[in-house]
Amino acid sequence: MRAIELNGFGGPEVMEWTVTVDPEPGAGEVLIEVVAAGVNRADVMQRRGFYPPPPDASSVPGLECSGTIVELGPGVTDWKVGDRVCALLAGGGYAELAAVPTTQLLPVPEEMDLAAAAGLPEVAATVWSNLVMTAGMRSGQLVLIHGGGGGIGTHAIQVARRRGARVAVTAGSDAKLAKCAGLGAEILVNYRTQDFVTVLADAGGADIILDNMGAAYLERNVEALAPHGRLVVIGLQGGTTGSLNIGGLLRKWGSVHATNLRARPRAGEGSKAEVIAAVRTQLWPDVAAGEIFPVISAELPVTEAGRAHELLDAPETFGKVVLRVRD
């Protein structure tokens, strides 16, 4: 098969579309003929040498893909060859074939474009595991989503609104904020011209904050919490080391959580299997009904993976970027 391999670490030029060894499905796994792969910031970090795959994962970038099952591994009885699926991966998405545990598969609804479905598994698992399973989001709460115009942000807005929460978002342009409003966000903060702490204070504080910035926003996020609020850190775009006013957190009766999806084990408590099972039973009916849908900003051929990585930071990008592997 062909896949994107990293020729060292660095800029987009280290990614090469080249011939490599075909994966083989093990026990409890299937082999997917990949149609498309979602592009995530974790892929950029891996390319730069800052986010290596787990020891048992493929070295090929890509944490999610979509396609059709072409082979069943030993013991697989609940899926069949020809099924349209999308999958959460620990690596290996930027390739023509991917071997995936069945516990990390989701069925693609008949009405959904298969390539667009590649933009769902990672964001769905991230949002559900953090907003619902970790933070306990419930109806009537105010949820602040940083990076509302990104792949995770556009999905999180939909999930929060579907579950009856109120949504505040930050984004870097009024155009992106308008699109966030179209998805259901009601409190819109342009972080270039407004202070989200002040805006959230006027709204009574956020019950939950979903944060992709890390260190740069740590203290301000605590300030923006409502009493008993929960801050969930899922990204480090603003650095890894920050200072925290513990007194401020105590006064809020607040809590800070930090989670990682890729490093979760395959099975057991807190595993990828546990998250995907919850997504499939509790979220996927809304996806199948079209109530929650992938927001795709751009679709590029896999040979243009470098350009796809650059688009993650482009001002015009709203939602996910996906790589088309085959028609």
Side-chain angles (χ1 to χ4, degrees), residues 35-254:
V35 167
V39 178
N40 293 281
R41 197 162 295 276
D43 306 338
V44 177
M45 293 173 62
Q46 179 178 337
R47 189 200 76 214
R48 292 173 177 169
F50 300 131
Y51 197 20
D56 61 343
S58 169
S59 62
V60 172
L63 302 184
E64 58 187 347
C65 71
S66 63
T68 57
I69 296 175
V70 292
E71 185 179 341
L72 307 179
V76 175
T77 59
D78 50 347
W79 298 89
K80 65 182 186 297
V81 171
D83 282 346
R84 290 168 21 113
V85 296
C86 55
L88 178 69
L89 310 171
Y94 295 12
E96 292 178 324
L97 297 169
V100 190
T102 60
T103 53
Q104 292 169 213
L105 294 176
L106 292 162
V108 175
E110 290 184 7
E111 299 78 11
M112 184 177 291
D113 177 71
L114 199 53
L120 273 178
E122 194 272 344
V123 295
T126 297
V127 169
W128 194 267
S129 63
N130 285 284
L131 287 186
V132 180
M133 299 173 73
T134 297
M137 182 178 66
R138 60 184 185 273
S139 179
Q141 289 186 316
L142 176 58
V143 178
L144 169 61
I145 300 163
H146 288 301
I152 288 174
T154 53
H155 186 78
I157 294 169
Q158 296 180 73
V159 173
R161 289 295 300 127
R162 186 66 180 164
R163 291 182 66 83
R166 301 167 55 217
V167 177
V169 296
T170 63
S173 73
D174 291 341
K176 283 190 175 182
L177 290 173
K179 292 180 179 179
C180 290
L183 293 174
E186 60 182 88
I187 298 176
L188 311 173
V189 183
N190 185 328
Y191 64 75
R192 300 185 189 278
T193 60
Q194 296 173 281
D195 176 23
F196 72 83
V197 177
T198 301
V199 175
L200 267 294
D202 291 342
D207 298 295
I208 300 171
I209 299 178
L210 188 65
D211 174 59
N212 60 354
M213 291 301 292
Y217 277 10
L218 182 57
E219 283 202 278
R220 295 171 67 205
N221 276 331
V222 171
E223 290 182 57
L225 286 174
H228 304 280
R230 295 185 175 188
L231 165 62
V232 186
V233 181
I234 60 169
L236 301 171
Q237 293 180 41
T240 60
T241 305
S243 60
L244 175 63
N245 182 342
I246 301 297
L249 189 63
L250 284 171
R251 286 192 294 273
K252 295 290 181 73
W253 291 55

